[in-house]
Amino acid sequence: MTQIPPTLPLRALFDAQHNASRAQIDVPLVLRRDRLERVRALVDTHADQLSEAVQADFGVRSAQLTEAADLFVLRAGMAQLQKQLPRWIKPQRVHTPLYLQPASAHLQRQPLGVVGVIGPWNYPLQLTFGPAATALAAGNRVMLKPSELTPHTSALMAELVQQAFDADEFSVVLGGPDVAREFSGLPFDHLFFTGSTQVGRQVAAAAAVNLTPTTLELGGKSPCVIDASCDLDEAAVKIAHGKLLNAGQTCIAPDYVLLPRGQEAAFERAYAAAVARLFPTIAGNPDYAAIVSERHHARLNTLLDEAQARGARVVDVSPPGGDAQGARQMNPTLVFGPAPDLRLMHEEIFGPILPVLPYDGMDDAIHFINLRPRPLALYWFGSDTASRDRLLTRTVSGGVSVNDTLMHVAHEGLPFGGVGDSGWGSYHGEAGFLRFTQQKPVLVQSRWAMGYLFYPPYGARFQRVMGLLKRLL
Ligand code: NAD
């Protein structure tokens, strides 16, 4: 595979996109649909190559996992954009208040201009092409900087995009943190970042210099709350699926479990059975992804060692069948009783380690969550709807799945994003389209307008009109 360098230096590429975006502000529906179609075609035609590249980057990651978690979500999003675009790009009528009638008002939906997208490595296709396609559908030019930790995938993406698009339409820029820093300093009309909270802070600071608005899709510790009314066996399968998909390297993976005190042994049994059902073996099982790099693998092992050294009970719940460590596949573990000051309890885990913490009542669980930064996702399992509503009304988070994990991300009608430390701004569906759109408010005055009633000199007529309006409003 050849590394395709960007054809132009970064700033020159940006200038070319910027100039093109100002030369054609009214981007017709047919061109937007054509650009979307080109993204869809390059993904569909090269789906096998793309998933082989992802596999090469991870070491172990099955084509089916990439198909479901990367390509399916991406295709669903693009299909919805193609379908809804004619409706979404139309001017939206807005009701005009009595005192301005008979004027009319509408929102004119326009492209922002040039959108920068910085992507992570964990779902390297969905989280890059997804926002890029949405920004193109909204009529923008796009520069995309995928992760340096998936070099095969990123290089192939650059090659395919270069074949299908002019550089001033859509370009992929390759590089690590140095290039990323330069990239986030460009005066984009919008900068869309997916990655860690720590790097998100740097991106927000760099963008602020140019007053570039940002969307930050960040990470954090997403709680999974098990209610006393929960069927543990059913919940354990869904929690194990959400935690172990991509070996825990999912931004919305349940990070830790809050469990009614006394149910620890039952949960341990149910979770171990669920793991065995989903992954009868770990070592060499292509469905069970490897940890992306030696550095990430070592960090996860350190988190476990620290927990064990401080007296936590670490339980390896992998089914018998060999040590997975050689291929950077990491056995799934439960951690009972972790000390609250451990890194395991402060940092996003991003691996197959699941801390289990007992609570003494729903208010106790709510208090625990509210003491911490606002999470990207929240999960609740049970049948007692009053208890569910108590949790949902008293915590603030990004998306929620009730009696499941992860699935809210696949619902194109639900905006996807975080709040506070887990990010700001959301995308998917119309929320995504609007993220990359200027909704220009337009008031169209009528020749019968009565605005002169408010003009000076402020005499008796003015007082009568204001008096009437006060009674009407
Ligand atoms: P990361 O923050 O290390 O890197 C993300 C991207 O930022 C990469 O392309 C990288 O090159 C770039 N980057 C690095 N330094 C930069 C800088 N100084 N300025 C600008 N860009 C810079 O994240 P990662 O390790 O690739 O991904 C894992 C993290 O992403 C986790 O925290 C996870 O929760 C989060 N994530 C969030 C979502 C979401 O939708 N909210 C989705 C996936 C991952």
Side-chain angles (χ1 to χ4, degrees):
M1 197 171 306
T2 46
Q3 285 260 337
I4 304 285
T7 47
L8 293 168
L10 205 46
R11 181 67 208 211
L13 180 61
F14 173 81
D15 288 342
Q17 291 220 349
H18 177 86
N19 294 341
S21 75
R22 270 48 179 181
Q24 188 186 28
I25 288 174
D26 186 11
V27 184
L29 175 63
V30 61
L31 179 54
R32 298 177 189 219
R33 290 187 122 171
D34 171 60
R35 286 176 179 160
L36 264 180
E37 177 53 29
R38 277 184 271 160
V39 179
R40 196 196 60 77
L42 79 78
V43 168
D44 281 352
T45 314
H46 301 282
D48 289 347
Q49 274 169 279
L50 285 164
S51 77
E52 278 162 24
V54 176
Q55 156 82 39
D57 286 328
F58 273 78
V60 184
R61 187 168 129 150
S62 68
Q64 292 88 341
L65 171 52
T66 297
E67 178 66 37
D70 257 306
L71 296 175
F72 175 77
V73 181
L74 180 58
R75 286 196 187 102
M78 287 195 291
Q80 199 210 23
L81 285 167
Q82 276 290 11
K83 189 163 165 225
Q84 300 295 346
L85 207 50
R87 191 164 66 82
W88 289 345
I89 66 170
K90 283 200 181 124
Q92 310 289 306
R93 258 191 97 83
V94 176
H95 173 75
T96 298
L98 184 67
Y99 52 87
L100 284 174
Q101 285 182 17
S104 67
H106 64 269
L107 297 171
Q108 186 174 7
R109 294 181 162 183
Q110 295 185 298
L112 295 172
V114 185
V115 171
V117 176
I118 301 179
W121 50 264
N122 59 335
Y123 295 100
L125 302 172
Q126 185 219 135
L127 298 171
T128 50
F129 281 149
T134 313
L136 288 170
N140 300 284
R141 313 268 161 169
V142 176
M143 286 171 64
L144 166 62
K145 214 283 308 156
S147 173
E148 67 281 10
L149 290 187
T150 46
H152 297 86
T153 313
S154 300
L156 180 58
M157 287 166 66
E159 191 180 322
L160 298 177
V161 168
Q162 199 182 34
Q163 285 164 11
F165 287 89
D166 290 337
D168 65 3
E169 245 181 338
F170 179 19
S171 292
V172 175
V173 173
L174 299 176
D178 288 348
V179 171
R181 260 188 293 276
E182 192 189 341
F183 189 93
S184 56
L186 292 170
F188 289 111
D189 296 295
H190 191 95
L191 182 53
F192 187 100
F193 172 80
T194 304
S196 59
T197 300
Q198 187 196 358
V199 174
R201 287 184 207 284
Q202 297 176 38
V203 169
V209 173
N210 299 310
L211 292 182
T212 292
T214 53
T215 300
L216 300 180
E217 298 284 344
L218 309 179
K221 296 183 82 63
S222 298
C224 177
V225 181
I226 293 183
D227 190 62
S229 64
C230 168
D231 176 331
L232 276 187
D233 293 324
E234 244 175 60
V237 175
K238 291 172 174 169
I239 295 168
H241 177 250
K243 184 69 183 183
L244 301 179
L245 184 81
N246 207 23
Q249 300 164 111
T250 302
C251 56
I252 51 170
D255 188 272
Y256 61 91
V257 161
L258 290 167
L259 182 78
R261 193 179 298 282
Q263 294 197 13
E264 291 89 332
F267 181 75
E268 182 180 326
R269 273 194 304 277
Y271 191 74
V275 172
R277 180 172 148 189
L278 299 173
F279 303 102
T281 57
I282 297 294
N285 180 349
D287 291 345
Y288 191 83
I291 302 304
V292 72
S293 73
E294 286 300 340
R295 184 170 63 85
H296 289 73
H297 194 217
R299 174 186 157 270
L300 289 166
N301 279 319
T302 306
L303 294 185
L304 273 186
D305 292 346
E306 284 172 4
Q308 210 149 21
R310 295 280 307 283
R313 189 166 68 87
V314 174
V315 184
D316 182 336
V317 284
S318 52
D323 183 8
Q325 304 282 332
R328 286 199 321 266
Q329 282 176 307
M330 183 173 186
N331 289 351
T333 49
L334 293 173
V335 180
F336 292 94
D341 60 335
L342 281 172
R343 273 167 63 198
L344 185 73
M345 292 316 302
H346 286 278
E347 292 178 12
E348 178 180 6
I349 296 173
F350 228 56
I353 307 170
L354 185 64
V356 181
L357 311 167
Y359 69 81
D360 293 310
M362 193 47 75
D363 285 348
D364 186 20
I366 290 169
H367 183 66
F368 186 91
I369 293 166
N370 285 337
L371 278 180
R372 288 162 175 75
R374 286 178 163 162
L376 179 61
L378 183 136
Y379 302 110
W380 181 89
F381 284 87
S383 56
D384 177 350
T385 53
S387 170
R388 175 198 70 193
D389 293 346
R390 191 172 179 80
L391 177 77
L392 293 191
T393 52
R394 291 172 192 210
T395 55
V396 177
S397 65
V400 171
S401 287
V402 168
N403 286 324
D404 211 339
T405 56
L406 314 183
M407 288 304 150
H408 59 276
V409 71
H411 192 313
E412 281 295 322
L414 292 175
F416 179 79
V419 54
D421 280 20
S422 56
W424 60 54
S426 51
Y427 72 127
H428 288 197
E430 193 171 14
F433 175 83
L434 292 177
R435 203 69 202 147
F436 301 118
T437 295
Q438 158 65 354
Q439 294 214 76
K440 186 162 71 182
V442 179
L443 179 103
V444 180
Q445 191 56 284
S446 157
R447 61 189 293 215
W448 309 111
M450 311 274 272
Y452 65 86
L453 294 174
F454 301 98
Y455 293 175
Y458 301 122
R461 185 190 66 197
F462 177 84
Q463 292 301 348
R464 273 200 306 280
V465 171
M466 291 315 276
L468 181 67
L469 283 177
K470 265 189 217 158
R471 284 202 297 280
L472 285 176
L473 292 177

